[in-house]
């Protein structure tokens, strides 16, 4: 599919702006809250390999609150456009948000303060929201047979979502009942399915559409998408299965297959970039470069604990590079681009010219976010590897400042969009 054809008739399939934006705003708010919790509980970051408290709560505010929330908001808008099939009734999407957003907040509060009732209630609400999401996506995908590069990754994401939800619920119950034979092994499998399975497969699948469209590059051949889906599926099965069973060499084989998939994916992306019509890449792409660099690095870091290296610091370093390095960098890059992009598409609803992306996107906040996010990645990684406190605190502070800057960016995009719409409404009344 040529990237330009992706947007043909897209306006007819746009949801009301309040529907996807509630997910994006919630994702940005949880992003900010996560860095606050990490600073508050910074004493527990070094040497963290699991257990309840501020660190685990902050981790889930990022994974469930920011990463998955963004994926849900983006998917409900992009899938109907990409597949040219409806996703489902808007009331179901709103119900998904009503269940999911409070569920994530309640679950994080339960983890932070070791309240079992809040953990159970929050996890139940979150899984209910995710179940609606999986049903909507699965129903949409069953009608599609012409986008294998996208749909095969989306199916893997749905399958991973089921696996991570089941393991997640078992892990929460195990905090109070203690019935799992190996809590750490189940947590590792849960993390692999969540990071590389659910979020990773959505990132790869949507990349094949979004990146060529944003840079006006050539489409990535379906054969590339089929290969990365096959290798990723095998890698996820072996990686998560090996982790769950406590068989390190099997998990390592899955990681190697994941590395092969990531190399093929990155080569496909770079081939599309070489043919792009936009010679100057937009600011959001700086975060994409960071994400792409840290995807294979995170997999290499995962090899160490799989092959028997000490969990402290290797498990912590792997988790940080996976969640904050590869996924958070990629998701905030897409948020930075997609929020003004959708606002621009909606801005002509009242007639007149659509708002320009350059007008909707303030540059200073994203420059601050980029610098702080990069500093946080370096400082926290060094701190985890060396066991040093002061770079950890500096890194967490940099992350918090970056999150504040990204929040300012989000508010400003929405303010400029509303200002444009108010001006268009006034012009209509006068005309």
């Amino acid at each position: 599919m040529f990237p330009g054809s992706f947007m043909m008739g897209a306006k007819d399939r746009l949801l009301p702006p309040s529907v996807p934006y509630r997910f994006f705003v919630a994702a940005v708010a949880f992003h900010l809250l996560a860095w606050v919790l990490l600073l508050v509980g910074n004493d527990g970051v070094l040497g963290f390999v699991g257990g309840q408290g501020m660190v685990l709560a902050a981790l889930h505010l990022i994974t469930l609150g920011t990463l998955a929330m963004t994926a849900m908001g983006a998917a409900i808008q992009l899938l109907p456009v990409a597949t040219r099939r409806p996703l489902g009734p808007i009331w179901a999407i709103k119900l998904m948000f009503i269940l999911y957003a409070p569920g994530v907040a309640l679950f994080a509060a339960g983890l932070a303060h070791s309240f079992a009732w809040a953990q159970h209630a929050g996890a139940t609400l979150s899984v209910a929201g995710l179940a609606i999401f999986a049903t909507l996506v699965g129903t949409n995908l069953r009608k599609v047979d012409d986008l294998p590069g996208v749909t095969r990754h989306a199916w893997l994401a749905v399958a991973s979502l089921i696996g991570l939800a089941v393991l997640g619920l078992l892990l929460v119950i195990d905090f109070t009942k203690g019935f799992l034979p190996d809590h750490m092994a189940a947590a590792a499998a849960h993390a692999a399915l969540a990071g590389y399975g659910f979020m990773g497969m959505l990132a790869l699948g949507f990349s094949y559409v979004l990146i060529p469209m944003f840079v006006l590059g050539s489409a990535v051949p379906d054969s590339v998408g089929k290969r990365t889906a096959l290798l990723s599926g095998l890698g996820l099965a072996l990686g998560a299965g090996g982790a769950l069973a406590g068989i390190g060499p099997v998990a390592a084989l899955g990681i190697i297959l994941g590395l092969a998939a990531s190399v093929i994916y990155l080569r496909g992306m770079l081939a599309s970039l070489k043919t792009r019509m936009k010679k100057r890449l937009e600011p959001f792409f700086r975060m994409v470069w960071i994400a792409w660099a840290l995807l294979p690095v995170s997999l290499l870091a995962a090899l160490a604990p799989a092959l028997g290296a000490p969990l402290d610091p290797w498990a912590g370093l792997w988790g940080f590079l996976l969640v904050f390095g590869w996924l958070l960098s990629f998701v905030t890059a897409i948020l930075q681009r997609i929020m003004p992009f959708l606002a621009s598409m909606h801005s002509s609803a009242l007639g007149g010219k659509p708002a320009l992306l350059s007008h909707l996107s303030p540059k200073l906040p994203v420059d601050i976010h980029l610098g702080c996010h990069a500093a946080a990645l370096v400082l926290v990684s060094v701190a985890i590897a060396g066991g040093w406190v002061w770079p950890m605190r500096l890194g967490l502070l940099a992350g918090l400042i970056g999150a504040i800057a990204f929040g300012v960016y989000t508010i400003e995009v929405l303010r400029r969009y509303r200002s444009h719409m108010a001006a268009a409404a006034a012009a209509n009344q006068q005309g």
Side-chain angles (χ1 to χ4, degrees):
M1 181 182 69
F2 184 74
S5 65
F6 174 72
M7 296 311 300
M8 291 177 62
K11 285 191 175 182
D12 297 335
R13 295 185 287 276
L14 286 179
L15 296 169
S18 65
V19 177
Y21 277 104
R22 71 186 65 194
F23 289 89
F24 299 151
V25 170
V28 173
F30 282 130
H31 178 217
L32 178 59
L33 186 58
W35 285 106
V36 172
L37 257 61
L38 282 174
L39 263 177
V40 171
N42 70 85
D43 290 343
V45 177
L46 287 178
F48 175 78
V49 292
Q52 302 178 60
M54 292 289 182
V55 178
L56 191 63
L59 179 63
H60 283 84
L61 285 176
I62 291 291
T63 55
L64 293 174
T66 302
L67 304 180
M69 189 74 77
T70 302
M72 293 162 83
I76 59 173
Q77 180 57 86
L78 294 177
L79 265 182
V81 175
T83 63
R84 297 182 291 278
R85 274 88 171 173
L87 184 68
I90 290 180
W91 67 261
I93 297 172
K94 290 181 178 178
L95 177 62
M96 177 173 77
F97 181 83
I98 290 170
L99 292 171
Y100 188 70
V104 171
L106 190 59
F107 182 56
L111 289 175
H113 300 289
S114 299
F115 294 150
W117 67 267
Q119 293 174 17
H120 295 168
T124 302
L125 288 172
S126 300
V127 169
L130 289 170
I132 296 175
F133 176 70
T135 302
L136 292 173
V137 171
T139 303
N140 178 276
L141 293 179
R142 283 194 301 110
K143 306 169 187 173
V144 181
D145 56 8
D146 56 347
L147 284 173
V150 177
T151 56
R152 292 188 185 190
H153 289 88
W155 276 120
L156 286 172
V158 171
S160 299
L161 176 58
I162 295 170
L164 77 89
V166 171
L167 282 175
L169 287 173
L170 292 175
L171 285 165
V172 170
I173 298 171
D174 192 60
F175 278 138
T176 51
K177 302 296 183 184
F179 64 92
L180 287 176
D182 190 339
H183 188 97
M184 290 296 295
H190 171 73
L193 288 175
Y196 298 111
F198 177 52
M199 283 304 305
M201 292 303 97
L202 287 179
L204 263 61
F206 282 134
S207 290
Y208 291 141
V209 172
L210 290 177
I211 298 298
M213 181 184 72
F214 287 151
V215 303
L216 300 180
S218 61
V220 178
D222 284 336
S223 58
V224 173
K226 290 178 181 177
R227 284 199 290 272
T228 57
L230 176 61
L231 289 170
S232 298
L234 292 172
L236 282 168
L238 292 173
L244 184 62
I247 307 175
V250 174
L253 179 58
I255 294 168
I256 291 170
L257 289 173
L259 267 171
S262 71
V263 170
I264 295 171
Y265 159 73
L266 292 174
R267 288 181 62 185
M269 290 288 97
L270 294 177
S272 178
L273 283 179
K274 286 181 180 177
T275 65
R276 71 183 188 274
M277 296 172 67
K278 280 188 176 181
K279 295 308 175 188
R280 185 174 182 178
L281 294 173
E282 297 173 61
F284 85 97
F285 224 90
R286 298 171 298 184
M287 294 293 287
V288 174
W289 287 123
I290 293 174
W292 283 353
L294 293 181
L295 167 58
V297 172
S298 74
L299 286 161
L300 288 172
L303 274 176
L307 295 176
L311 292 180
D312 182 17
W314 288 106
L317 188 60
W318 164 59
F320 182 73
L321 290 172
L322 166 61
V323 174
F324 291 81
W326 145 236
L327 290 173
L328 186 59
S329 302
F330 188 83
V331 162
T332 49
I334 297 303
L335 268 177
Q336 181 182 328
R337 183 59 169 78
I338 200 171
M339 286 193 293
F341 174 71
L342 286 178
S344 178
M345 294 197 70
H346 282 288
S347 63
S348 60
L350 299 179
K353 293 182 180 178
L356 296 174
L357 283 176
S358 56
H359 173 71
L360 291 169
S361 309
K363 188 171 183 298
L364 181 59
V366 291
D367 286 346
I368 295 173
H369 174 246
L370 171 69
C372 291
H373 182 74
L377 290 179
V378 172
L379 288 166
V380 175
S381 296
V382 168
I384 293 174
W388 297 309
V389 174
W390 67 266
M392 172 65 70
R393 290 176 178 166
L394 283 177
L396 296 180
L397 184 60
L400 176 60
I401 295 172
I404 293 171
F406 201 77
V408 171
Y409 172 79
T410 303
I411 293 170
E412 188 62 12
V413 169
L414 295 176
R415 188 194 69 77
R416 294 184 182 192
Y417 165 69
R418 289 181 177 178
S419 176
H420 178 91
M421 297 304 286
N428 279 345
Q429 288 180 348
Q430 291 174 359

